[in-house]
Structure formats: C-alpha cells, structure tokens
C-alpha cells in the first residue's frame, strides 16, 4: 500500500532555480526519508527527519515536516543539471509494522541547462 | 568499500524457470531488504530481514522466497517465474530496521517471457 504520495509527478525548471517537491502521507509516522534515484541506478538516501523535528538541512537541501498536515517538502536550492533525477519520499509508520519503509511513486525532476 | 552488491545485473527467464538473486553488503548492517520497482508503482517491499536469522514478509511476498545466509548476504528466489514478476529488483541494507537510512544496490533488471 502506498503511504506517501509525491507532488508534482514531474517538474522541469531552469538551472539555478529552486525546486520544491511535496510529500503527503496518511497515517502517523516515526520518521520520513527522502531519496534520489538517477536513471538506471539504485536509490541514494538524502535526509531523514523524525516525527518530532520540523526542519533539516543538508547542503543545498532543506526538508520540512508538518505532522499536523501529514506532509513534507523537499527544497533544492540553486539547482544544477546533476540534480536531474527522481525523488522519493518514504515513511516509517509509528510502531513499525510489516511494511517497513514505504515509498511513494516519486517526482521526476528535470533541470534544463 | 563496495556498499551493496547485487548479481546479476540483467536476467531474462522463461515462464516457469527459477532463479536466485544475490545480494551482499559490506557495511556490517543488521537489516536487509528486497524491493521491486515497477513503472508508476514506486518501490514495494517484498521481504526483509531485521537481523541475521530472521525474515519477514513485506507488501508483495507471493511468488518469492528469501534466505538470510549470514549477516552479509540476503538472497531472493523465484521458484517459478511469471511474466508479472518482470521488474527491477533492489536490495538494500540499513544499520537498524525502520530508523536508519537504507543503502541500495544498483538493481537487477529481470524480464520473464
């Protein structure tokens, strides 16, 4: 079952602009994680944010979490061509459970040079 | 430091054939996972192993079996392949189940004809 849903499904911006992707989920979570997938490769972990955190930064990445709205956003500032990839949010439900880490369907980001 | 290594990278099977996908990690992680990725479906968990000696079903376990051979290795077996199992299979590992980032291999692209 899909817990997280990313929005938009696809996003195309010019190099140097900021890119924002959103993730909504349905039930209480323990933590939420963002991953990047380049074409033909495995997923790479970007940021993990716990349910008691509201914002985390890593380099040009900023992740926010609003548990009252059951949503998270990933902001990539000053985008580069190398940021072209699919981005997935993944949630861990409170109390764990058989589903483990549940992924959304992803946002495909294209950075135009 | 190779991280998570999956073999083979590509495989074509005929319906009814069997095969085993191999996965090994060199990060001394406790937990290992098998996911499948289909277009438009995101990643879905097949099986996971929270620690050496244990395995549990994920969201889509039917048609698959797993073996946690030792702490490093976690294999996925298809006993009688079906066209519905055409997919990209990813193995991942993490230090702890649920609460630490997953490290992914580069995937096995399986086609069942």
């Amino acid at each position: 079952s899909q817990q997280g849903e990313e929005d938009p499904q696809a996003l195309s911006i010019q190099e140097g602009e900021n890119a924002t992707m959103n993730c909504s989920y349905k039930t209480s979570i323990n933590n939420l994680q963002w991953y990047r997938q380049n074409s033909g490769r495995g997923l790479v972990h970007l940021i993990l944010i716990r349910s008691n955190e509201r914002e985390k930064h890593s380099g040009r990445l900023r992740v926010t979490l609003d548990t009252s709205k059951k949503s998270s956003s990933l902001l990539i500032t000053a985008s580069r061509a190398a940021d072209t990839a699919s981005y997935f949010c993944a949630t861990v439900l409170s109390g764990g459970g058989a589903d483990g880490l549940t992924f959304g369907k992803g946002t495909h980001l294209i950075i135009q040079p | 430091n190779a991280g998570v290594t999956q073999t083979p990278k590509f495989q074509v099977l005929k319906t009814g054939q069997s095969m085993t996908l191999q996965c090994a990690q060199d990060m001394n992680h406790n937990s290992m996972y098998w996911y499948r990725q289909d277009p438009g479906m995101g990643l879905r968990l097949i099986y996971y192993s929270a620690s050496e000696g244990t395995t549990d079903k994920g969201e889509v376990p039917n048609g698959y079996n797993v073996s946690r051979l030792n702490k490093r290795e976690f294999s996925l077996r298809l006993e009688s392949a079906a066209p519905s199992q055409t997919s990209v299979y990813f193995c991942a590992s993490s230090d702890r189940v649920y609460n630490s980032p997953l490290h992914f291999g580069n995937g096995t692209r399986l086609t069942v004809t």
Side-chain angles (χ1 to χ4, degrees):
Chain A
S1 59
Q2 223 82 40
Q3 157 77 328
E5 291 288 338
E6 294 90 345
D7 174 64
Q9 291 186 354
L11 179 63
S12 180
I13 62 173
Q14 295 296 123
E15 193 166 18
E17 293 180 336
N18 295 341
T20 300
M21 288 158 270
N22 302 297
C23 172
S24 59
Y25 58 91
K26 297 172 185 171
T27 58
S28 296
I29 60 170
N30 178 294
N31 67 70
L32 184 145
Q33 304 179 30
W34 284 93
Y35 289 79
R36 182 187 74 232
Q37 184 179 34
N38 292 94
S39 181
R41 309 283 288 182
L43 281 72
V44 174
H45 174 81
L46 297 176
I47 289 184
L48 183 155
I49 186 165
R50 303 192 189 283
S51 59
N52 61 352
E53 297 175 310
R54 292 296 166 258
E55 187 170 311
K56 287 190 84 168
H57 296 253
S58 176
R60 293 183 296 112
L61 307 180
R62 181 172 78 105
V63 167
T64 60
L65 179 64
D66 187 334
T67 53
S68 67
K69 295 181 179 177
K70 293 186 170 58
S71 67
S72 174
S73 66
L74 169 66
L75 169 67
I76 304 174
T77 60
S79 63
R80 305 167 181 169
D83 295 328
T84 293
S86 292
Y87 292 81
F88 295 86
C89 71
T91 54
V92 176
L93 303 183
S94 296
D99 287 347
L101 193 62
T102 307
F103 286 81
K105 297 179 182 180
T107 291
H108 185 50
L109 174 66
I110 297 173
I111 308 299
Q112 307 277 6
Chain B
N1 190 338
V4 178
T5 303
Q6 291 184 236
T7 56
K9 289 184 169 56
F10 301 94
Q11 184 71 49
V12 178
L13 291 178
K14 294 189 190 309
T15 297
Q17 288 185 319
S18 62
M19 79 161 295
T20 300
L21 282 64
Q22 306 286 354
C23 175
Q25 53 92 8
D26 61 5
M27 294 170 283
N28 201 36
H29 283 165
N30 292 306
S31 303
M32 297 186 74
Y33 314 79
W34 278 104
Y35 284 88
R36 60 179 287 175
Q37 185 176 32
D38 302 295
M41 295 294 292
L43 279 84
R44 292 181 292 170
L45 183 64
I46 305 171
Y47 272 92
Y48 70 102
S49 171
S51 60
E52 187 179 356
T54 69
T55 59
D56 286 286
K57 295 178 181 179
E59 182 185 354
V60 288
N62 291 345
Y64 305 95
N65 285 302
V66 291
S67 296
R68 184 75 183 266
L69 304 169
N70 48 55
K71 193 170 185 180
R72 290 186 64 248
E73 298 172 289
F74 189 38
S75 63
L76 178 71
R77 182 160 179 84
L78 287 70
E79 290 291 351
S80 179
S84 61
Q85 294 178 305
T86 294
S87 188
V88 181
Y89 291 85
F90 287 99
C91 177
S93 69
S94 68
D95 185 35
R96 292 166 290 146
V97 69
Y98 308 136
N99 286 313
S100 55
L102 268 62
H103 297 255
F104 282 83
N106 282 324
T108 294
R109 282 150 185 77
L110 175 66
T111 301
V112 183
T113 61

